[in-house]
Amino acid sequence: MKVNGTPYRTIWLAEDGWAAEIIDQTKLPHEFITVRLETMQDAAIAIKDMWVRGAPLIGATAAYGVALAMRQDVSDANLAAMYDHLFATRPTAVNLRWALDDMKSLLTPLPESERQAAAYKRAAEICDEDVEICSNIGEHGAAIIKAISEKKNGATVNILTHCNAGWLATVDWGTALAPIYKAFNAGIDVHVWADETRPRNQGASLTAWELGQHGVPHTVIVDNVGGHLMQHGEVDLVITGTDRTTFTGDVCNKIGTYLKALAAHDNDVPFYVGLPSPTIDWTVEDGVRDIPIEERDATEVTVMTGRDSSGAVSDVQITPDGSPAANYAFDVTPRRLVTGLITERGVSEASAEGLKKLFPEFA
């Protein structure tokens, strides 16, 4: 995608060919800053502190974290240590485990002399594969948007999304936003309702920013407006992303997604999820019971960052001194509320049968 007209991915190799560079998403939308990652520890901090976020991008960053670890030390001991260190950074996004397992299974049987080159090669492949996956999700999802547009005789298709599942959450294109970009590029009249998505405001700061960069019409709304808009016929479909989806179709995504699914179900609004296959957890059946829900630092709830009238970016406390705050980062939407899962291989019903039909290798 483009930033001020310049094409960017969210992670790439620096000109020296060994350090990785990323966009520091904690600075958006007010500052566009890139950061150089030189060690595995740098990659871990980037994931844990959410300089990068979104399940696919977390996985890609972890892969480059492994490559950086192999540049420091190619021993078996370091291979095991880096796995544990990176795995501990974020507990919910399954792409993290998937990428680390992929890299470890590749590197373990190799001679130490071959590990560094192999790690960099595979990290680059994981990034390229993610771009292809997201592009294909976009094509399949755009067909859904096109069908709605035709039914409305070309009138604006209003799409509600929650959190950020655009190109900033992946290596490029995005998951939930990829169909929107593909539809927009094809000339379909679309408009996006972007939930602010408290507490970190990824919708207001990231989704709105990247939609604006691409020229897609959009409106930022507070989190609790979605149900009202659906009641009044202002939402044609909801598309969200996912950080982990069970093989039975339960979807774990940013906190508040479940409430949007309930409102969509009550108002007969289709609720779709952009689902790259690496985010499917083939070991988990019941998402509500078995997916670990990350609880993050309370200051993400009690403190907000913004730009004041002078143009300065600063943090402000919005709660009374002494009031505790809870910060649950994700919730689980049961499969019964999901209209369909938009994967790189097509659209599936949210069920074990539907997913295994598209991915028979896991059946």
Side-chain angles (χ1 to χ4, degrees), residues 226-228 230-231 258-269:
H228 167 78
M230 293 181 207
Q231 284 179 327
Y258 174 43
L259 297 179
K260 294 302 181 297
L262 286 171
H265 184 265
D266 194 49
N267 290 279
D268 296 319
V269 174

Side-chain angles (χ1 to χ4, degrees), residues 11-22 35-43 60-61 63-73 116-117 119-121 123-124:
I11 186 167
W12 62 95
L13 272 183
E15 289 186 2
D16 57 26
W18 64 267
E21 292 187 323
I22 60 168
V35 176
R36 180 180 169 92
L37 308 179
E38 297 187 345
T39 66
M40 180 272 292
Q41 291 81 3
D42 289 343
T61 305
Y64 270 115
V66 174
L68 290 167
M70 292 298 94
R71 188 174 186 273
Q72 294 173 290
D73 178 358
Q116 180 179 324
Y120 274 96
K121 180 175 183 293

